[in-house]
Amino acid sequence: MATVSGMLPGGLHSDPAKSWTMASRYYIDPEVYEQEKEKIFGRSWFFVGHESKIAKPGDYLAVDFADEGIFLVRGRDGVVRGFYNVCQHRAHRLVEGAGNVKVTLTCPYHAWAYDFEGALRTARGCQNVDGFDKGEFGLKTVRVEIMLGLMFVNLDKDAPAFAEQYAGLEEDILRWMPRAGQLSFAARKNYELKANWKVVIDNFQECYHCEPAHPAFVDMVKIETYRNKTPATYWSTQTSDKPQSNVSSAYAFEPGDVDFGYAGYFVWPNLTIWLMPGEPNLMTLQMLPDGPKSCVEHLEWHSLDGALSEQGKSAVDYIDEVLQPEDIALCESVQLGLKSRGYDRGRFIVDKERTHISEHALHHFHTLVMAHLEGNEPPLARAAE
């Protein structure tokens, strides 16, 4: 919480126009990274993929984050459930990657088998063990919530519900992309970056760098209409109302369902959602920490029929071959600079009109990081921004 002077944890100020950024140690210190595993990723809603990846009963999807493994499985009742990816016998991982099982989830170590609701069904030899109760060895559950087909998990049993914590997000996405809930997974790209995950989020949270660093993007959107807004505590937006043209140096598209320039969302702690001009689409780009000085990004494209159309391929190719290399180079250079003796922290560029160059959404992200690391309630976002 802010003091009378407006100061927040980590030396931030509640007014972004008066605030300095987080100190460089928060991007390079192994101790900070260890704290993030528990205080951020162990207590926040974490995106794991689109539910179309596990469309049939017995389909499962395993993911790892913050030194924890979990998996989701669709039951015969159609419900998606989440579990820690660990057998209750001797802690062997149950599943890897994605796939389908017809009858039970069977551990490859000693063949303990679980149903899709997590109950232990068979444990070889358990009938010879006095007092053995299968009911005591069910899989440990993980909370799952789904928004517009996007699946999220939370390791904290006491965390607020996703719909409560991210209130208004679904409605705002549908305002720009009315058929977002009808999409399916279509394509995936992966990237390894020599940069802290927060450096990459920082880069997403402002378009101050767009004109010098992203000429094709600026050619695509009407940059004077570009605005970053922080209408809620746990998510923020950046939108361009109109495209410059449906033919740009980024890619060509046919005006239709999506006739705006661009709509992007930051979803705490490490997910970005992109709505690109053209046919109905939704792209996720997630930044997964891989140590204090590196991260992995997963880009996933979603379309109406789950296929990558010619227009969708053009958009993905632009992001994969142009925009991502531009951003990755920027972020890796920043990471090198953060360890320099010549730098510790900078100032946010924030103007009164909150134009496209304003970094107030970046300040919003920094306040969330520091609040969670310090164990405080994050300050509420100001809708006017």
Side-chain angles (χ1 to χ4, degrees), residues 11-13 15-23 206 208 343-350 357-360 362-363 366:
L12 300 176
H13 194 283
D15 182 351
K18 298 178 181 179
S19 185
W20 292 72
T21 64
M22 290 188 298
E206 49 88 359
Y208 187 28
Y343 180 86
D344 183 41
R345 61 174 73 208
R347 283 289 296 271
F348 298 103
I349 296 298
V350 179
I357 71 168
S358 182
E359 296 181 309
H360 55 282
L362 173 54
H363 170 267
H366 283 206

Side-chain angles (χ1 to χ4, degrees), residues 181-376:
Q182 302 172 30
L183 308 179
S184 298
F185 170 77
R188 177 182 174 110
K189 302 284 185 178
N190 302 306
Y191 311 89
E192 295 181 359
L193 284 72
K194 295 177 181 178
N196 182 276
W197 69 278
K198 298 187 296 301
V199 169
V200 191
I201 296 291
D202 284 355
N203 182 71
F204 177 83
Q205 285 292 74
E206 49 88 359
C207 209
Y208 187 28
H209 72 282
C210 289
E211 285 160 305
H214 297 316
F217 183 78
V218 173
D219 189 39
M220 180 179 71
V221 304
K222 207 169 186 64
I223 197 68
E224 57 266 30
T225 71
Y226 201 97
R227 291 294 182 272
N228 287 66
K229 296 182 180 180
T230 57
T233 300
Y234 285 102
W235 58 275
S236 60
T237 72
Q238 45 189 293
T239 59
S240 171
D241 294 343
K242 296 181 181 298
Q244 290 278 25
S245 167
N246 65 319
V247 179
S248 70
S249 55
Y251 68 97
F253 64 92
E254 292 296 326
D257 279 37
V258 188
D259 57 359
F260 53 89
Y262 167 78
Y265 295 84
F266 164 66
V267 183
W268 172 263
N270 68 330
L271 176 67
T272 65
I273 295 174
W274 306 34
L275 310 177
M276 301 295 289
E279 63 192 24
N281 67 85
L282 184 149
M283 190 189 88
T284 57
L285 184 64
Q286 186 177 33
M287 299 72 176
L288 284 74
D290 185 31
K293 301 177 184 179
S294 60
C295 69
V296 175
E297 285 187 309
H298 298 312
L299 180 161
E300 297 194 344
W301 183 267
H302 306 84
S303 65
L304 277 176
D305 56 4
L308 195 60
S309 68
E310 182 177 344
Q311 184 173 289
K313 184 178 185 304
S314 295
V316 172
D317 286 349
Y318 159 64
I319 296 166
D320 178 51
E321 298 172 6
V322 179
L323 193 61
Q324 275 291 91
E326 290 170 345
D327 276 331
I328 289 171
L330 294 171
C331 292
E332 292 187 337
S333 179
V334 167
Q335 189 67 40
L336 290 173
L338 285 166
K339 67 180 183 180
S340 171
R341 295 181 181 90
Y343 180 86
D344 183 41
R345 61 174 73 208
R347 283 289 296 271
F348 298 103
I349 296 298
V350 179
D351 55 35
K352 293 181 180 179
E353 291 75 27
R354 301 297 196 260
T355 65
H356 70 281
I357 71 168
S358 182
E359 296 181 309
H360 55 282
L362 173 54
H363 170 267
H364 175 240
F365 172 58
H366 283 206
T367 62
L368 285 173
V369 171
M370 294 311 309
H372 282 76
L373 290 178
E374 296 292 327
N376 297 320

Side-chain angles (χ1 to χ4, degrees), residues 135-211:
E136 296 179 353
F137 296 96
L139 298 178
K140 300 299 187 292
T141 61
V142 173
R143 294 171 64 189
V144 179
E145 292 201 30
I146 300 174
M147 179 199 72
L148 297 175
L150 306 178
M151 303 183 295
F152 296 83
V153 299
N154 199 316
L155 306 183
D156 183 359
K157 293 182 179 296
D158 298 322
F162 182 93
E164 174 187 344
Q165 198 161 8
Y166 299 86
L169 175 60
E170 179 175 351
E171 292 79 5
D172 204 87
I173 293 173
L174 290 172
R175 179 167 65 92
W176 296 97
M177 189 71 64
R179 291 197 277 177
Q182 302 172 30
L183 308 179
S184 298
F185 170 77
R188 177 182 174 110
K189 302 284 185 178
N190 302 306
Y191 311 89
E192 295 181 359
L193 284 72
K194 295 177 181 178
N196 182 276
W197 69 278
K198 298 187 296 301
V199 169
V200 191
I201 296 291
D202 284 355
N203 182 71
F204 177 83
Q205 285 292 74
E206 49 88 359
C207 209
Y208 187 28
H209 72 282
C210 289
E211 285 160 305

Side-chain angles (χ1 to χ4, degrees), residues 34-44 268 372-375:
E34 291 302 318
Q35 292 176 3
E36 289 173 347
K37 292 179 187 179
E38 174 60 28
K39 295 181 178 181
I40 295 179
F41 292 99
R43 302 176 186 175
S44 302
W268 172 263
H372 282 76
L373 290 178
E374 296 292 327

